[in-house]
Amino acid sequence: MSQPQIIQVFEQYQKARMQFVQSVALLAVRPHNTGGLQNVGVMALLRPLLLDVVPKVQQTAVLALGRLADHSEDLARVLVKEDVLPPLVHSLASQNRFYKKAAVFVLRAVAKHSPELAQAVVACGGADALVLCLEEFDPGVKEAAAWALGFIARHNAPLAQSVVDAGAVPLLVLCLLEPEIAIKRIAASTISDVARHTPELAQSVVDTGAVPHLAQMMLNPDAKLKRQVLSALCQISKHSVSLAEMIIEADVFPAAMSCLKDPDVYVRKNVTTLMREVVKHTPELSLMIVNCGGVAAVVDYLGDCRGDLRLPGIMMLGYVAAHSESLAMAVILSKGVPQLAVCLSEEPEPHVKAATAWSIGQIGRHTPEHAAAVTRANLLPKLLELYVDAASSEDLQAKCKKALKSVLQMCTYLPELESLLYDAPSNILKHVVCQLSKVLPHDSKARRLFVSSGGLKKLQEITAEPGSALQEHINTINNCFPEEIVRYYSPGYPEALLERVENYQPA
Amino acid sequence: MTTCKPTRKNNMTELHVIQSALEEFQREYFNRNSQAEENRRREHQAATQIQSWFRGCKVRAYLSYLHKKAIIIQKIWRGFTARARFRQMVKAAYFIMKMNFYEEMAVRIQRRWRGFFVRKYIHNFYARKRYLEGLYRKNEVVRRELRELEELQKRARESLEMVKEQRAKVKQAHHLHHLLSTKQCPGIFNSPFRPDPHEMELLLKQVKYQAPTRLASREEACALGMPGQAPPSLPGSPGSPGIKTTRTSNASKLKLPPIASRKQQDVFREPGEVWQQRVHCPDLTSRLQACYAQLEEAQSRLRQHESVRLRIGDNTGIQQRDKICTLPAEQQQRCFYSLGRRQELQIADYTQTPRGEVLPGTMGWLIRRLRANQVLYTTMSGHVCVCRRSEHFLPFTLD
């Protein structure tokens, strides 16, 4: 055969390979094709192509593998089992940037599914190779590597630790300084994934000086970047007081509140979460947030959003109020209680309701003044209703009960207490009657009102075990009324009177 | 036998009398004896009874005597101890009373003080009220500011939208330029049945026609999907940051100016720049600026200056001179420290220098302390040397 003929054969073969790989890669884009591709044994065919002489074929094969692994965990597992990863990782150092990007994509696709797969990626030196890729000049490669590291670190603390040990964090911080928005986003998200697990990991992130950069980027106009940055900040601050103080020191706070009016809901949610994480540590931190008007802003935020987005805001109010009575007063003053009442009635989700009930309990438990604020919003009947409702979850019931108890123990507003007398179950009734027994002996007008509104009658109808606390409280109340009145309102009184008429012997 | 007188007859009778008397006596004696023997037991018992009674009396009397004495002792002792205890009790009671009083007074003072302190500094009602009012105002301000900010952002977004829309319209007008009505034939936007033309017609009139630029077939690389094309299939992946990869293909859409036209670059510089260049006198390097005798001059100047200083501070003793030796500013020292290795080489050279003395006015810089009494030292003339500290006049002698 002549030379041109030989060449023609080879060209033909190369074209066919190229076409094959490209079409597999195209097919792999659709998730529903993966099953079919797997059934026809695509792995066995792609695997030799990874070592193809033509770089373009190689790289497209890697890309196809990455897409397949991205869609199905099974295929990802097969990839790990057939030891495809180690050669990929080794070739990362030598190949061009397109190949690197594709290979890093494969690593990411494998690592994203489960901790075991991510562990497999780390075990074959993936983390170190990815960190090397972070040093690459090409922004695409950097971004892909940061993304893959984020997926690895996301699963659990040991994996995140291995990412940190590979020295990724300083490079990620450098990535934050890149001009490309996409790299910034990914770097911020990876930092947040690393910092979320343990205080030590968060500390290692802080030690690389990430916080000032993150704080600086918080006001970037790009919404997605803001989301990631804020989530990173809140993952850092959630662990300990010192870390939260670090965040405060970076002057995050009055500035972050402007994000509460961002058009993007997740930015708003993340800001609120950040506030919650900062606030929960100490009264001083809460005071700082309260003083810069954070509570009012969060209350407004609660008015703007619905559903799960409200949860961090609700909890933030609860955490602030839990610290001290003046902080709880600040929440009340910022019109937090009516807002929480709205949340309690609007939200269908039981866990949001439970959080709201908890927050209300935290606000009302400090002084009678606080309890009065809660009662004025007409929250006690609502809480009681939720507590009694058989449809509400166990957690919600427990939270409602706790809130009711803590508010009732401070409540001195009699009409509200009386209304509770009628439909409260005995374990709540105990607290209601206890409050009544504390207030009535000292207030003659209230005693009169209590009798005329029928409270005394209701009280006599309560059957309590003799010797129980409830009975004692009832006795205390009875003691502050004349005996005839008490007897008059006792349930069997008409019969007793009639009996006396029968037994009466006229002289 | 007492009546034996010398007359015989008499004696005989007397004897007989005596004998009868003797018998009498014997009988008597015997009777008595037997009687005595009879009564003996009884008498003995009686005697014993008497004795026992007597002795009993005696012992009882003694005992009662002892009792009486014991009671006396006891009553005195008891009285003594009771009085002592009573005194103690009174003392204790008095003490307790005093303590109660003190404590009550202390409580009174503490009550006042604590009330005052707490009211003033901790639960200051007015301060709290002021704080809450301030907070209320602050909240209002924050709310207003946030609302304003939102408004501002919204407006900015809207204007951006509008601009974008306008641009899209103009672009469309470019594309639809062929629909512009002509003098002969009205276009579709200029219907003769309408009172006035469609706004698009006006836009079309405004827009200047541009010949379509032929774009290079830029999509050729698209079949080869870079990983950049992968992310669009992923947005639903759980917790994915929802981020699109930077597209390198974006770059191809950017229209770059043609490379060939170098015409745009001006041959001439800006007039101001040219003027600058004319006027500007290039800096002489430091070597050119310095006089060749500068080092010596500086040394002599320093020496003069130093001698004046030494004379002033002569009587303050060795410490002062120590200070002079380490006189230069820290920055200079640090600078020397940073030089590090190179100087060590120099030291090696200079340890060979002959023994000499540092002149009284010589100024130098301490580089580092080698041992307790040795320092590495540099003179102003640039010699590095090891100095040993000596007791007398000079702080360091030159090795």
Side-chain angles (χ1 to χ4, degrees):
Chain A
M1 268 211 263
S2 63
Q3 191 67 14
Q5 273 175 324
I6 295 172
I7 289 174
Q8 195 190 2
V9 169
F10 275 85
E11 268 182 356
Q12 222 169 357
Y13 180 49
Q14 184 177 331
K15 260 184 201 160
R17 279 190 335 247
M18 193 66 215
Q19 202 186 358
F20 171 72
V21 195
Q22 280 182 354
S23 33
V24 168
L26 267 182
L27 283 173
V29 170
R30 307 253 164 238
H32 54 80
N33 287 340
T34 36
L37 284 171
Q38 197 180 0
N39 289 341
V40 295
V42 72
M43 291 303 267
L45 288 174
L46 279 181
R47 184 125 193 245
L49 290 178
L50 291 180
L51 305 172
D52 203 278
V53 282
V54 185
K56 202 168 179 184
V57 173
Q58 251 186 41
Q59 165 197 328
T60 318
V62 173
L63 180 68
L65 270 187
R67 285 178 183 170
L68 287 170
D70 195 35
H71 294 314
S72 100
E73 193 179 342
D74 280 343
L75 273 171
R77 210 164 277 146
V78 171
L79 270 185
V80 171
K81 218 176 278 170
E82 295 197 356
D83 285 335
V84 180
L85 296 183
L88 268 183
V89 169
H90 288 307
S91 57
L92 266 182
S94 52
Q95 297 276 4
N96 66 6
R97 62 197 174 98
F98 298 112
Y99 182 84
K100 271 185 185 173
K101 215 158 145 188
V104 170
F105 172 58
V106 174
L107 292 185
R108 186 186 86 205
V110 172
K112 92 172 187 185
H113 291 295
S114 71
E116 293 78 39
L117 288 172
Q119 184 58 49
V121 172
V122 173
C124 64
D128 298 307
L130 287 171
V131 170
L132 275 182
C133 286
L134 275 183
E135 291 174 28
E136 183 78 6
F137 183 69
D138 183 49
V141 177
K142 251 185 205 179
E143 185 192 328
W147 201 347
L149 282 172
F151 273 130
I152 293 172
R154 179 170 302 175
H155 292 296
N156 55 33
L159 283 170
Q161 187 62 51
S162 63
V163 168
V164 172
D165 290 343
V169 181
L171 291 170
L172 286 172
V173 174
L174 280 183
C175 284
L176 284 178
L177 306 178
E178 293 287 321
E180 287 87 357
I181 288 276
I183 297 185
K184 285 184 182 185
R185 282 180 202 159
I186 302 270
S189 120
T190 307
I191 285 175
S192 121
D193 283 336
V194 169
R196 80 201 304 181
H197 297 291
T198 63
E200 291 75 31
L201 286 168
Q203 188 61 49
S204 67
V205 168
V206 169
D207 288 344
T208 54
V211 174
H213 298 309
L214 288 171
Q216 212 176 10
M217 265 185 296
M218 201 174 52
L219 297 179
N220 198 299
D222 186 70
K224 283 173 186 161
L225 175 59
K226 260 197 256 186
R227 266 188 221 173
Q228 301 303 333
V229 165
L230 288 168
S231 113
L233 284 177
C234 75
Q235 299 294 0
I236 291 171
S237 65
K238 78 178 178 185
H239 293 291
S240 73
V241 184
S242 58
L243 288 169
E245 275 167 0
M246 202 80 84
I247 301 283
I248 297 284
E249 270 164 28
D251 282 337
V252 169
F253 257 101
M257 270 161 28
S258 63
C259 295
L260 274 174
K261 289 291 181 189
D262 202 85
D264 188 89
V265 283
Y266 290 101
V267 171
R268 282 184 282 176
K269 185 188 170 189
N270 285 354
V271 176
T272 325
T273 318
L274 173 61
M275 285 166 113
R276 182 189 76 190
E277 301 300 349
V278 169
V279 143
K280 77 178 180 189
H281 292 295
T282 63
E284 288 75 31
L285 289 172
S286 313
L287 191 65
M288 200 234 111
I289 300 277
V290 167
N291 284 351
C292 61
V295 174
V298 169
V299 169
D300 281 3
Y301 162 77
L302 285 181
D304 291 342
C305 62
R306 297 280 172 276
D308 272 349
L309 296 176
R310 271 176 170 169
L311 192 60
I314 291 169
M315 288 176 71
M316 185 249 177
L317 293 186
Y319 278 129
V320 170
H323 285 305
S324 79
E325 62 92 25
S326 62
L327 286 170
M329 203 64 212
V331 173
I332 292 170
L333 207 69
S334 318
K335 304 184 180 106
V337 180
Q339 194 61 56
L340 285 175
V342 170
C343 292
L344 195 62
S345 54
E346 272 181 5
E347 290 303 325
E349 294 279 331
H351 65 274
V352 181
K353 272 184 181 170
T356 317
W358 174 78
S359 295
I360 290 169
Q362 295 303 329
I363 293 172
R365 78 188 170 119
H366 295 284
T367 65
E369 208 180 334
H370 293 81
V374 172
T375 41
R376 267 199 300 278
N378 207 19
L379 277 168
L380 292 183
K382 227 176 276 174
L383 285 174
L384 186 66
E385 191 184 317
L386 283 174
Y387 173 56
V388 177
D389 192 1
S392 40
S393 69
E394 226 165 79
D395 180 46
L396 175 55
Q397 279 183 347
K399 292 263 162 55
C400 282
K401 186 184 166 200
K402 198 125 187 274
L404 266 178
K405 188 179 156 188
S406 52
V407 176
L408 277 177
Q409 276 171 351
M410 280 297 158
C411 183
T412 53
Y413 185 61
L414 291 178
E416 192 65 36
L417 287 173
E418 271 183 48
S419 68
L420 284 182
L421 264 183
Y422 292 96
D423 38 5
S426 69
N427 49 358
I428 299 296
L429 205 59
K430 188 169 59 185
H431 303 297
V432 176
V433 176
C434 173
Q435 280 312 107
L436 284 174
S437 75
K438 278 183 207 160
V439 177
L440 285 176
H442 307 290
D443 190 350
S444 58
K445 260 184 203 165
R447 282 201 292 269
R448 191 190 160 87
L449 262 176
F450 187 64
V451 173
S452 59
S453 64
L456 190 60
K457 190 172 179 212
K458 175 64 199 161
L459 193 72
Q460 302 311 318
E461 286 162 13
I462 295 169
T463 51
E465 287 171 30
S468 64
L470 179 57
Q471 184 63 51
E472 263 174 41
H473 297 318
I474 293 176
N475 289 343
T476 320
I477 297 175
N478 286 346
N479 285 343
C480 57
F481 290 102
E483 209 180 325
E484 301 96 70
I485 298 280
V486 175
R487 235 185 297 148
Y488 176 74
Y489 282 113
S490 300
Y493 186 66
E495 288 77 28
L497 261 187
L498 286 177
E499 221 167 277
R500 271 179 68 188
V501 169
E502 273 174 24
N503 297 342
Y504 186 69
Q505 299 294 329
Chain B
M1 305 283 234
T2 54
T3 56
C4 279
K5 295 283 179 172
T7 49
R8 276 244 183 134
K9 199 166 169 199
N10 260 4
N11 276 359
M12 278 309 285
T13 52
E14 270 183 15
L15 182 66
H16 184 70
V17 169
I18 289 170
Q19 272 181 343
S20 67
L22 184 64
E23 271 168 27
E24 184 79 11
F25 178 76
Q26 276 175 342
R27 219 173 23 248
E28 186 73 38
Y29 180 73
F30 177 73
N31 282 342
R32 283 207 188 168
N33 259 353
S34 63
Q35 207 171 1
E37 194 62 29
E38 258 172 34
N39 291 340
R40 202 170 57 99
R41 177 175 290 257
R42 203 163 46 88
E43 280 171 1
H44 184 257
Q45 269 182 346
T48 307
Q49 208 165 358
I50 291 165
Q51 279 174 357
S52 72
W53 170 80
F54 179 74
R55 282 183 188 150
C57 277
K58 224 170 79 177
V59 167
R60 267 191 291 278
Y62 182 61
L63 269 182
S64 78
Y65 171 78
L66 279 185
H67 265 297
K68 274 178 193 153
K69 295 303 154 195
I71 283 168
I72 288 170
I73 292 170
Q74 281 172 354
K75 86 178 176 202
I76 290 172
W77 173 249
R78 283 185 184 153
F80 174 72
T81 51
R83 268 186 291 279
R85 216 173 66 214
F86 178 71
R87 267 198 299 279
Q88 283 293 324
M89 270 163 64
V90 166
K91 224 182 205 172
Y94 177 63
F95 181 73
I96 288 170
M97 210 176 78
K98 231 164 46 182
M99 279 316 287
N100 283 347
F101 179 74
Y102 286 149
E103 269 161 17
E104 199 189 315
M105 293 302 123
V107 165
R108 221 180 265 182
I109 294 167
Q110 284 169 0
R111 195 161 61 199
R112 283 291 161 89
W113 164 248
R114 284 184 185 157
F116 166 76
F117 181 77
V118 163
R119 272 190 291 280
K120 172 132 196 189
Y121 295 107
I122 298 174
H123 291 302
N124 188 342
F125 176 75
Y126 295 102
R128 183 182 147 93
K129 202 167 152 189
R130 229 176 309 127
Y131 169 72
L132 288 177
E133 270 166 17
L135 188 69
Y136 187 77
R137 270 201 303 279
K138 171 83 185 172
N139 280 349
E140 290 302 312
V141 169
V142 165
R143 282 191 166 124
R144 202 180 55 238
E145 273 175 3
L146 284 180
R147 221 174 300 131
E148 277 165 12
L149 183 75
E150 190 188 13
E151 194 65 26
L152 211 70
Q153 281 179 345
K154 205 166 140 193
R155 227 175 295 149
R157 272 201 306 279
E158 270 168 9
S159 64
L160 213 67
E161 279 298 304
M162 254 168 64
V163 167
K164 215 189 247 175
E165 210 173 291
Q166 193 61 32
R167 207 170 285 156
K169 254 185 196 166
V170 170
K171 196 176 169 193
Q172 201 187 8
H174 274 303
H175 287 313
L176 298 179
H177 197 265
H178 57 281
L179 297 177
L180 182 64
S181 48
T182 59
K183 204 170 185 179
Q184 295 296 322
C185 170
I188 55 165
F189 292 118
N190 191 9
S191 163
F193 303 108
R194 288 167 65 115
D196 48 337
H198 192 267
E199 56 176 322
M200 195 66 187
E201 175 73 18
L202 301 177
L203 198 62
L204 285 180
K205 270 182 198 163
Q206 282 170 10
V207 166
K208 221 173 114 185
Y209 176 71
Q210 281 180 335
T213 47
R214 180 162 297 280
L215 289 171
S217 55
R218 60 171 191 270
E219 300 305 321
E220 60 181 355
C222 261
L224 164 68
M226 291 293 101
Q229 268 80 28
S233 61
L234 299 176
S237 62
S240 89
I243 293 159
K244 303 274 155 52
T245 346
T246 37
R247 284 161 182 269
T248 41
S249 59
N250 273 1
S252 65
K253 281 183 190 167
L254 269 174
K255 266 180 261 170
L256 295 171
I259 296 168
S261 64
R262 289 192 67 93
K263 190 85 174 144
Q264 286 175 355
Q265 191 179 352
D266 216 315
V267 183
F268 300 109
R269 296 193 177 180
E270 294 287 304
E273 205 178 332
V274 174
W275 182 246
Q276 272 283 321
Q277 202 176 358
R278 269 189 78 175
V279 175
H280 177 69
C281 173
D283 281 339
L284 296 171
T285 59
S286 54
R287 183 180 299 189
L288 287 177
Q289 280 175 333
C291 170
Y292 68 95
Q294 196 198 21
L295 188 61
E296 282 73 21
E297 274 174 21
Q299 277 174 358
S300 63
R301 232 181 300 141
L302 192 73
R303 208 164 292 157
Q304 278 172 4
H305 173 72
E306 201 58 30
S307 59
V308 170
R309 286 199 48 171
L310 269 182
R311 235 171 286 139
I312 294 166
D314 221 14
N315 49 357
T316 50
I318 275 182
Q319 286 183 342
Q320 177 75 29
R321 272 173 239 123
D322 264 3
K323 238 185 236 169
I324 294 164
C325 198
T326 59
L327 182 77
E330 282 205 339
Q331 297 147 338
Q332 288 169 335
Q333 272 191 25
R334 236 182 275 147
C335 169
F336 267 98
Y337 273 115
S338 70
L339 285 176
R341 285 173 187 285
R342 216 179 61 201
Q343 280 186 351
E344 272 166 28
L345 283 177
Q346 280 185 341
I347 300 158
D349 293 340
Y350 277 92
T351 42
Q352 311 284 326
T353 54
R355 173 178 288 259
E357 277 185 351
V358 180
L359 294 172
T362 307
M363 163 101 178
W365 300 327
L366 180 73
I367 301 172
R368 70 174 67 141
R369 198 170 284 278
L370 295 178
R371 268 181 242 142
N373 60 348
Q374 272 190 343
V375 290
L376 190 59
Y377 185 80
T378 174
T379 60
M380 278 303 284
S381 52
H383 293 287
V384 177
C385 41
V386 178
C387 297
R388 181 177 297 152
R389 187 183 181 140
S390 73
E391 301 298 304
H392 59 278
F393 178 64
L394 283 172
F396 296 103
T397 53
L398 183 61
D399 250 344

